[in-house]
Amino acid sequence: MDGIEPEPPEEPDIEEPIDPDVSLTGFRQRRETVQASGSLGKQLSEQDSLSFSANAARSHFPGGQLAEDYWSYGGAGSFSRTFSSRSSGGLQTGVQRIDYEGSNLSTTIIDAQLFFSNRLSPTWTINASAGDQIIMPQGPGDTDVSSSGEV
């Protein structure tokens, strides 16, 4: 064949799987966390109530090279209505932001959930809910947005 060797085939780009060990327990990575939270509720009427909450946390991984320190902060709100002496329902929504130190990476999580509860008898209650969560990672070249729902 005229002394020409064929070029080896290109290897496909393979993404490494994300380690499901978010808390790094398997790596015995210590984490120090300081957090604060608060909430406020208001009874708007005999049937309606409103509540808000806020939180902030700072996590530090001393001496560790496996994870980045980060700040996390967010808030949530809830509206609830009593329809009758046996049933109630409402909406809960929240936003959480995580900023990783040492990089330009962050993640915003937005969620919302409708809920309903009906007391069938003194011993039986049925609860139902449906919701969605949107996760938006932000960083250099990262525009993936994922959404998951539940019923």
Side-chain angles (χ1 to χ4, degrees), residues 33-38 53-59 70-76 95-98:
T33 301
V34 175
Q35 55 190 358
S37 64
S53 64
N55 64 73
R58 164 79 162 90
S59 288
Y70 64 88
W71 282 93
S72 171
Y73 44 93
V95 176
Q96 191 74 25
R97 169 88 177 199
I98 304 165

Side-chain angles (χ1 to χ4, degrees), residues 79-100:
F79 173 79
S80 181
R81 168 166 275 187
T82 301
F83 302 115
S84 71
S85 62
R86 305 175 89 181
S87 63
S88 63
L91 169 70
Q92 296 173 330
T93 186
V95 176
Q96 191 74 25
R97 169 88 177 199
I98 304 165
D99 289 325
Y100 299 96

